[in-house]
Amino acid sequence: MAQVAERLQPWVAALDQRPQGAPRWLQDLRDRAAARFTALGFPTVRDEEWRFTNVAPIASAEFKPANGDSARPTEEELAGYLYSDAENRIVIVNGSFSPELTRTEGLPAGVRVGSLAAAVTEQPDVVQRYFGQLADFAGRAFTALNTALAADGAYVHIPDGVVLEKPLHILFVTTNGGAPVMTSARALIVAGDRTQARIVETFAGPRGAVYFTNAVTELVAGENAVIDHYKVQEESFDAFHVASMHVHAARSANFSSHSFSLGAKLARNDANALLDGDGAECTLNGLYLADGERLVDNHTMIDHAKPHCPSHEVYKGILGGKARAVFNGKIVVRQDAQKTDAKQTNRALLLSDNASINTKPQLEIFADDVKCTHGAAIGQLDDDAIFYLRARGLTFFEARDMLIHAFAGQILDRVKIESLKQALEGELFAQLAKDLAEIDAA
Amino acid sequence: MLDIKNLQVKAEGKQILKGIDLHVNAGEVHAIMGPNGSGKSTLARALSGHPEYEVTGGEVLFEGHDLLDMDPDERARAGVFMAFQYPVEIAGVNNAYFLKAALNAKRKHNGQAELDAMEFMQLIKEKSALLDIDQSMLSRAVNEGFSGGEKKRNEIFQMALLEPKLAILDETDSGLDIDALKLVAKGVNAMRTPDRAIIVVTHYQRLLDYIVPDFVHVLTGGRIVKSGGKELALELEKRGYGWLEGDAQPVGAK
């Protein structure tokens, strides 16, 4: 225990420097979060939620909390993170809102996007109503850490009835400032009743940089809202990324999430959706790629609290080298949630003998008139399929590429932003080409 | 076109083919018949280069080249086509996309320009009418969710598109109702040309009512025990295979 306490000491010291000067309610929340983190400490592999993901490399590293005056990304770096048909963007550099890099001219009237810190004073009622309400930190150390330390972040408020025709991009970028930094990336997205929007959150940093992104996103989808959310995790291969997204879907809302986890040495993505109104619909899809000795962990939780809510979930992973993955898909169907229709699928493609995955579906059903299915399939490329394609004249390499593209395509094809889809395909297949070349050389 | 000499093949550690001799000329249709477990499908799969079938002896020449020395995809591009007994479902690969890739792989091999989307669709339209292939079969994933009949029609459709020199049909008739059987036979008969050879592997004589072979060979116990003309199939229909099974002497085809 002494060792743990010692290891925690620098973090507690960092928490003592937490942002001050916010309104009372927010300061209280930060104080409670700081106390909670100190009490919880970092999770260990004895914690069921972290059984296969050892965060000791994060806990024992010395990350300095990023401050607001660090360098901006270069033009070239920035260009590499943007998508041509998502011109409206909020850029957060090392946790702080960057007005110079943000572009919001094309948004409809009434839509408020920008700095979360500014919104605390400018739209206090909305922020106070939702901030910290979905991202419960009682049992989550990283969420507590973020809540205590996040001084700023991205804020999006779409008033009732407003439709965003064009996608909105929220870019969290870490810049290389020498010493390894920790950023507390925070987003609050409130989409009112009958709204419609496509929102992309990208997390990125310079190649080879060591840093730690600790992210929390809260997203509210009002009645009848149709929200498409995309998460692109393309951090440096030496970075650590721990993130949770917390979604509240009201009556007849339709929320879909597409998570692409391509970077980081250790990535943990939590996606939690609460279906809290009749007929709310939720899709959680994910595609992840890891190679080398990297680890990617996806934990999802769909909480069916009300009747007639369908949920669909497909997560797919491609693993090479000695990469490890974790998938934990929890579906809760509460007593009220009759006529729930929940479907979960998890598939992983292991390109090498040394790659591995731990996968666990977790169904907790308290209602009696429901339909819940889950399935997992882990394996290598299908030899029969390869032979079939070769018997039609495709080379082994062409056949393999076709099957891998098909595997990833089932998730990529649902991306409804063309330039984002192309960027993801480019990134994914460039990485794959490198992994496959290594396998072929061996 | 195809010269098989004393071909011996092992599958799952068991010697299945114990010395097959078969000579097939361009323009001929040969039927290979035999009871279950006789090695008919092993012969078809070994010719296509299936990795689970190990050739332990003999040789196979295709147009004078050593077929056994070629990878499965080289054989395909050289003009050997096998219609699978159990066509493989390939999730996520669109059937039309797959067909185009296969066709262009072969065209590239032959030094022809790859077909563009328009030319490809035109060709598809032309060939699909013959086999009653509808649009939905083209837009779905390869064989995924296809009925048994649709899968077999899709095989023959691929054969029609790829126009092989040598086509091997591995129990294409199994599990087909009479209407599907007639369609498949129509597709195959349309491809009978003086420069193409077809080997029909079948358990039942019924298919041979519609695809009339020039030669019939009976395979039992890993050897061809009898060869003859189309009337041999009718005799087998009447008498079964029992009267031939004692005859273990290898009999070379013509």
Side-chain angles (χ1 to χ4, degrees), chain A residues 31-90:
Chain A
D31 294 348
R32 289 202 308 277
R36 194 61 199 148
F37 176 80
T38 309
L40 286 170
F42 284 100
T44 70
V45 290
R46 287 186 297 278
D47 183 331
E48 188 57 32
E49 290 291 293
W50 294 86
R51 215 174 126 202
F52 301 106
T53 300
N54 185 354
V55 298
I58 297 175
S60 57
E62 289 196 16
F63 292 110
K64 297 258 179 297
N67 53 26
D69 50 39
S70 25
R72 270 193 237 161
T74 64
E75 284 296 323
E76 197 191 344
E77 280 169 352
L78 190 69
Y81 305 140
L82 301 178
Y83 316 110
S84 61
D85 42 31
E87 285 163 11
N88 298 315
R89 63 176 192 249
I90 306 173

Side-chain angles (χ1 to χ4, degrees), chain B residues 208-220:
Chain B
L208 306 181
D209 288 342
Y210 301 96
I211 303 172
V212 179
D214 301 304
F215 302 95
V216 174
H217 311 278
V218 182
L219 214 164
T220 68

Side-chain angles (χ1 to χ4, degrees), chain B residues 43-56:
Chain B
L43 176 61
R45 288 169 202 173
L47 291 177
S48 69
H50 196 292
E52 281 165 29
Y53 295 81
E54 184 199 349
V55 175
T56 53

